């Protein structure tokens, strides 16, 4: 793709037929379960090594997604060149792996993120009002982390609106994890 000549690409979806193939698929539940298991059992000082390994595995296995990230980086960073785009794509996968770990911690009931809320007076005004409020955010993070934070700050139920997971098994697992670990105030 030449820089700036076409729209960024998105990962395409192909139907996966067998149950085993659905679970092993990049969008399958097996990987999320593995991250959730690892977060509960891995000592914090080993976590970066495991995340690095996880990143490299997915960077190698997720060819369509990797190419989409590299193509998008070609539009965003045309000066980076071929090697620079691939190196930055590794960083995108690395950050995504950490986001998965943060989400697993949040689904497990941990409140491990320190927040700085800009415009706190507006937030307080909306939360004290007693009525409804519509909070719009850019997709720049992890809804499993931010949703419970906003529910706690508002002191009421927060409803998140998002696209369902691509595999029904994965969606069911994620919903069950949120419900099991106090996700009642945050509903997706």
């Amino acid at each position: 793709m030449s820089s700036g000549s076409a729209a960024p690409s998105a990962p395409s979806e192909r139907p996966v037929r067998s149950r085993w193939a659905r679970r092993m698929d990049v969008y399958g539940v097996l990987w999320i379960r593995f991250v959730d298991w690892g977060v509960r059992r891995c000592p914090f000082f080993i976590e970066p090594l495991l995340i690095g390994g996880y990143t490299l595995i997915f960077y190698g296995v997720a060819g369509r997604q990797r190419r989409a990230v590299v193509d998008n980086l070609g539009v965003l960073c045309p000066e980076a060149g071929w090697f620079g785009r691939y190196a930055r794509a590794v960083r995108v996968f690395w950050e995504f792996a950490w986001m998965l770990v943060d989400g697993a911690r949040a689904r497990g009931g941990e409140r491990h993120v320190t927040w700085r809320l800009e415009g706190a007076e507006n937030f307080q005004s909306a939360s004290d009002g007693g009525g409804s409020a519509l909070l719009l955010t850019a997709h720049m993070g992890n809804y499993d982390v931010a949703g419970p934070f906003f529910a706690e700050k508002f002191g009421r139920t927060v409803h998140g609106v998002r696209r369902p997971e691509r595999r029904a098994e994965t969606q069911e697992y994620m919903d069950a994890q949120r419900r099991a670990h106090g996700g009642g105030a945050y509903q997706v």
Side-chain angles (χ1 to χ4, degrees):
M1 172 179 185
S2 62
S3 60
S5 64
S9 61
S12 61
E13 295 180 45
R14 287 187 294 180
V16 179
R17 290 177 176 46
S18 75
R19 181 172 182 203
W20 181 85
R22 277 194 315 272
R23 295 184 86 183
M24 291 296 292
D25 185 61
V26 172
Y27 305 111
V29 71
L30 177 71
W31 306 110
I32 298 296
R33 285 179 181 266
F34 179 72
V35 170
D36 288 354
W37 175 85
V39 161
R40 290 189 307 270
R41 287 170 179 77
C42 179
F44 73 93
F45 54 89
I46 295 176
E47 200 168 76
L49 297 173
L50 293 177
I51 288 175
Y54 202 61
T55 298
L56 292 176
I57 288 170
F58 269 92
Y59 189 81
V61 171
R64 288 190 321 254
Q65 292 79 6
R66 180 185 61 245
R67 285 187 295 279
V69 169
V70 169
D71 287 350
N72 289 338
L73 288 168
V75 173
L76 295 171
C77 310
E79 75 287 351
W82 180 87
F83 181 78
R85 287 194 306 272
Y86 275 87
R88 289 177 184 195
V90 171
R91 176 72 188 263
V92 169
F93 275 70
W94 170 262
E95 295 297 336
F96 185 74
W98 277 108
M99 189 265 329
L100 287 176
V101 168
D102 286 343
R105 290 191 188 291
R107 283 189 309 276
E110 288 184 39
R111 299 295 180 250
H112 63 287
V113 175
T114 302
W115 295 85
R116 184 185 79 216
L117 185 61
E118 293 185 19
E121 63 283 351
N122 297 327
F123 190 85
Q124 191 61 44
S125 167
S127 100
D128 290 343
S132 298
L134 182 62
L135 176 66
L136 299 174
T137 64
H139 177 66
M140 300 183 341
N142 193 323
Y143 64 91
D144 282 326
V145 175
F149 165 77
F150 285 120
E152 184 179 306
K153 290 292 181 193
F154 269 125
R156 59 179 91 167
T157 301
V158 171
H159 298 273
V161 179
R162 63 174 295 275
R163 180 178 187 232
E165 297 293 335
R166 294 180 183 185
R167 303 284 181 252
E169 273 183 319
T170 306
Q171 183 66 45
E172 291 164 9
Y173 176 77
M174 302 283 271
D175 290 344
Q177 289 297 302
R178 278 189 289 274
R179 282 191 306 273
H181 299 289
Y186 173 61
Q187 300 174 7
V188 177

